[in-house]
Amino acid sequence: MRHGLEISCGGASVAVSTLVELGELAERADWDGVFLEDYLIHYSGDEPFTYDPWLVLAAIAGRTERVRLGTTVTALPRRRPAKLAREVLTLDHLSAGRATVAVGVGDPGDRGLVAFGEQTEVSVRAAMLDEGLDLLTGLLSGGRVSHRGTHYRADGVSLRPAPVQSPRVPVWVGGSTQAGAVRRRAARADGIVPYKLTDTDGWSDFTPDEVHDLATALPSTRADGQPFDVAIGGRRRRSDERTERAYLAELAAAGATWWLEFVPAGDPATMRAAVARRPLR
């Protein structure tokens, strides 16, 4: 099981230079991945600093060599799939094949949806995600894509250069496992970033048995033949490291391929300390 960091894309007065510094530090501290949130307006405070994750990841790519880079998660219904695909493919080349993108319907509490007139109806956003997922995975393969749907169109177009990774940049699907559609969408992609509750203000860890059931219900391999990714986590580290380490070992045995530890927005020293303490392998 690999260990990654989920890092806030802003909040309070977080500087973008701090986020890039954390990405560099993550590689030195032996983390396997750096995944940024994707919000137009961060959820903390009245007018929080917020940064575009793909630009930040591009800066990190130029200062690292090994760590995997991506988002958890990007709200595909508020993005044009072709524009997102171009950004992800560019990051894939900048990082020499280390890009991953996770997509979902988006946080219903995202202030950027209402503020910029984005679609807020859940059923419509779900339909946009279903359609956009097929278009995105096709474009991330570098092959020629033809698509005419309700929300998107592609007239026999391919995005070049083709990705460094073959057959495509890995795509994960995020969302609550209380929604069966999340598992169905993930099965069409390369991985899943699940959480248990539809209420994102609450939190509940997956049990090892739940992870086992989830992993066995999904494909065993992804498009490139590697194990299908089951990325569990999304919270801060517990204070009792012995208990935490035992829990992570059980998740790995149950089929989790990633553990994602959350680094919330805070003062730079606190954020650096959370990254520098290294993963609990």
Side-chain angles (χ1 to χ4, degrees), residues 86-97:
R86 174 55 75 203
E87 293 166 354
V88 175
L89 288 168
T90 300
L91 179 65
D92 196 50
H93 281 267
L94 285 171
S95 65

Side-chain angles (χ1 to χ4, degrees), residues 21-176:
E21 179 187 352
L22 294 177
E24 293 182 84
L25 178 58
E27 180 156 291
R28 295 198 302 272
D30 199 34
W31 294 93
D32 300 304
V34 172
F35 302 93
L36 299 184
E37 298 171 324
D38 190 347
Y39 285 87
L40 286 172
I41 302 175
H42 198 261
Y43 46 81
S44 63
D46 294 328
E47 294 183 336
F49 290 12
T50 311
Y51 304 103
D52 181 88
W54 300 104
L55 290 175
V56 177
L57 291 169
I60 295 172
R63 305 183 187 197
T64 57
E65 298 180 351
R66 177 189 55 78
V67 72
R68 180 153 288 274
L69 304 170
T71 57
T72 52
V73 299
T74 292
L76 189 56
R78 71 163 171 79
R79 300 292 302 272
R80 303 300 298 178
K83 180 66 167 69
L84 178 61
R86 174 55 75 203
E87 293 166 354
V88 175
L89 288 168
T90 300
L91 179 65
D92 196 50
H93 281 267
L94 285 171
S95 65
R98 292 183 281 134
T100 293
V101 58
V103 296
V105 295
D107 183 349
D110 184 350
R111 289 179 287 179
L113 297 178
V114 174
F116 295 107
E118 298 289 345
Q119 179 59 244
T120 58
E121 178 62 42
V122 174
S123 61
V124 176
R125 294 209 319 269
M128 294 173 74
L129 175 58
D130 281 325
E131 185 181 332
L133 180 60
D134 288 337
L135 181 54
L136 180 67
T137 54
L139 291 171
L140 289 179
S141 73
R144 192 166 301 279
V145 177
S146 295
H147 176 90
R148 284 181 178 263
T150 302
H151 303 284
Y152 308 112
R153 167 179 166 181
D155 293 333
V157 63
S158 58
L159 298 184
R160 296 292 180 172
V164 176
Q165 300 175 84
S166 178
R168 66 176 180 232
V169 176
V171 178
W172 296 351
V173 172
S176 170

Side-chain angles (χ1 to χ4, degrees), residues 198-203:
T198 55
D199 176 8
T200 55
D201 290 331
W203 180 263

Side-chain angles (χ1 to χ4, degrees), residues 177-253:
T177 53
Q178 292 181 358
V182 172
R183 293 188 297 274
R184 292 194 295 273
R185 292 180 188 120
R188 293 155 48 195
D190 304 293
I192 189 168
V193 190
Y195 56 90
K196 290 180 68 171
L197 304 177
T198 55
D199 176 8
T200 55
D201 290 331
W203 180 263
S204 180
D205 274 338
F206 284 94
T207 68
D209 285 345
E210 288 170 334
V211 170
H212 177 267
D213 291 345
L214 180 62
T216 55
L218 291 164
S220 58
T221 57
R222 60 190 197 187
D224 61 2
Q226 295 298 310
F228 188 89
D229 278 317
V230 179
I232 305 297
R235 62 156 169 79
R236 306 184 203 193
R237 184 180 298 186
R238 290 191 186 102
S239 57
D240 185 342
E241 290 197 357
R242 179 177 296 181
T243 299
E244 186 83 326
R245 195 185 299 274
Y247 172 66
L248 298 186
E250 291 176 341
L251 293 186

